[in-house]
Amino acid sequence: MISISNVTVSWGSFTLLDGISFHISDNDKIGLVGKNGAGKSTLMKLITGEIAPTSGSVDKPQGIRIGYLPQIMEHHHGRSVIEEAVSVFDYLKEMEAELNELTLKLGDRTDYESAEYAKIIDHMNELNDRLSLESGLSPEAQAQKVLFGLGFKKEELDRPTETFSQGWNMRIELAKILLSSPDVLLLDEPTNHLDIESIEWFEGYLKAFRGSVLLVSHDRKFLDNVTTRTVEIMLGHIHDYKVPYSQYVGLRAERIAQQTAAYENQQRMIEKTEDFINRFRYKPTKSNQVQSRIKALEKLDRIEIDDVDSSTLRLKFPPAQRSGDIVFKGTDLTVGYPQKTVFRDAQIEIKRGENVALVGRNGEGKTTLMRVIMGQLDPIGGEAKVGHNVSIGYYAQNQEDILDPFLTVFSTLDNIAVGDMRTRLRDILGAFLFKGEDIDKKVSVLSGGEKARLGMAKLMLSSHNVLALDEPTNHMDIRSKDVLKQALKDFDGTLIVVSHDRDFLEGLVDKLYEFRDGKVKEHLGGIDEFLRVRRLENLQELERSASAPEKAKAEPQTAQAQDFRKFKQLSREQKKVQNRVDYLEKEIAKKEGRMAVIETILANPSEKDDIMELTREYLELKRGLDDQTGEWTELMEQLI
């Protein structure tokens, strides 16, 4: 479908991409990985045509529809959420208006045998076929389905887009891209502004998506669940693996190990051969053997080890002084702003040594609670109390709001460093991958990942016994996240972290507070246990709503009997959903098989084939297939 052939991108003497080539086929699900600054976003811009390669070519089929979600994008204001989402269907109204205009024009003509009359008829048929292909769910219904999946509530759909944060506006743009029915999706860190439940919905959507996906993400679990192929960019070159991310990591390590072993064996052989040549070069009796081995060395195909970018963060938090047993306690806590209460009557207690995650839908109060803990916001009601001898190191979600854009990297730390730390600033910055001229860069020109690293370096300049981290892994590459996770596991203080990265939280936290519908609920255990419980609760909510009338008529039962009845009903509901899924999968397979037959006939039709009838049948099958695939996706979300 899309071919990248021998593409080089250079700026002056610096080469970012050096003669790379690979192909994106139909239905490929590719994870594009590499360190921050390796060229992932640049490659996507090459495919969209935003930038041109220094040399080489990017070939795309004519008329291909590409949906591109960059890291940073403009948002449109002046309409409601639902109006903005359905704006992608404006072309349908334009097609209908054109069809009506052609119908009126045709009514005034009598030249039925003319070429122009036939041309109008052909164009009307084309418009009719395209409208028939697009028929099915109304634009509003399709938009609602996607917006709900991305976390919007029904009552929010009529709100103006400008009343939402940048992250929520990004979701609107993502919804528009998905609704535009692209052939290829290019997604540059799409999960940065999604919460855990929206990410899980998005995973299901992408797995069922019938086009190709090229995905940049630093979420290992997301990559594993969505992609089947991994393309790595390293030091200007690419390595293509036909496996998801976790398998790629193992195969990559095996490849480097095999190359290293083969290289070392060859070097030993070369060393012995050169030693023989040097020892017997001037002995007439050995001259033939010497010449033979010289020629053999000249013809030898030398093994090279692929260049590996081994630079990584070196991160260790300073030792923490002992705090009181209770680090933070919120009693009957009601928090919000004059125009809105975010959550009410929360009971929150964080003890020394706990690793606690704050999870939930964006806008439900996670960052707001962080501000209360930091003393930046007073509660509306209840009591918020920080414990004895607590020193909190705070990492804000948006580092651009915290870092001074006019300072250099070095002066950012130099302005706050004290004592002997001032003499170690270059070493500290080197540990965060700021080397050489990097330390003289202005903060304003840093990438998102560089700002994240600089913010973390600031945090480590003084010792804290509580770390409050708000989305610390946004913009961090996977290796940097692994280093940060290990450093936090080794930290001997208390951790409070806001994150939607399931892989990062797994094995790191032992308690969660879920923010949902204006309430805060405590969950003991890790992230996997929490997600399992939430999926079960979602199924139970579905069951309760479906069986409410029957339950209202039922006679009172014991608690044990009610629990058993719920269990049986849940099992029956799951079985019913599974039976429908099995049916849909068979029907989808039938339709796909018939469509493949029609495609073969249309590619080389005979005189007896009715092209018009076959085309109409194909469009009807396609419409039914899209409806059934959508239903299958929704049901699979219930079974997950």
Side-chain angles (χ1 to χ4, degrees), residues 349-363:
E349 183 175 272
I350 300 172
K351 297 179 180 178
R352 184 182 68 243
E354 285 186 327
N355 286 355
V356 179
L358 310 182
V359 299
R361 184 174 173 268
N362 291 345

Side-chain angles (χ1 to χ4, degrees), residues 272-420:
K272 289 181 181 179
T273 303
E274 289 176 341
D275 182 55
F276 180 90
I277 292 169
N278 291 332
R279 285 172 59 197
F280 300 111
R281 185 184 295 274
Y282 302 108
K283 286 197 175 184
T285 57
K286 300 285 188 178
S287 62
N288 288 340
Q289 295 179 48
V290 168
Q291 289 303 314
S292 174
R293 298 193 185 195
I294 289 174
K295 289 178 181 177
L297 283 183
E298 290 173 349
K299 294 178 181 179
L300 185 66
D301 187 8
R302 304 276 175 140
I303 295 172
E304 294 183 356
I305 301 174
D306 289 336
D307 289 333
V308 176
D309 187 349
S310 58
S311 59
T312 189
L313 291 180
R314 299 190 300 279
L315 195 53
K316 185 177 181 181
F317 289 96
Q321 293 183 348
R322 186 180 178 88
S323 69
D325 288 340
I326 303 299
V327 168
F328 174 81
K329 186 166 185 175
T331 306
D332 300 326
L333 203 58
T334 297
V335 172
Y337 305 92
Q339 65 273 27
K340 181 185 179 183
T341 298
V342 182
F343 59 82
R344 293 179 178 277
D345 304 322
Q347 311 298 327
I348 300 169
E349 183 175 272
I350 300 172
K351 297 179 180 178
R352 184 182 68 243
E354 285 186 327
N355 286 355
V356 179
L358 310 182
V359 299
R361 184 174 173 268
N362 291 345
E364 291 283 0
K366 304 185 298 294
T367 297
T368 304
L369 177 62
M370 283 288 205
R371 294 189 62 202
V372 171
I373 293 172
M374 293 303 301
Q376 298 174 358
L377 180 68
D378 293 327
I380 295 172
E383 183 183 31
K385 188 174 181 181
V386 174
H388 173 69
N389 199 35
V390 167
S391 170
I392 305 176
Y394 181 44
Y395 178 94
Q397 182 177 158
N398 296 314
Q399 287 300 307
E400 56 266 29
D401 297 337
I402 304 298
L403 301 172
D404 187 334
F406 301 106
L407 293 179
T408 65
V409 169
F410 182 83
S411 58
T412 296
L413 298 194
D414 190 43
N415 284 359
I416 61 172
V418 295
D420 63 349

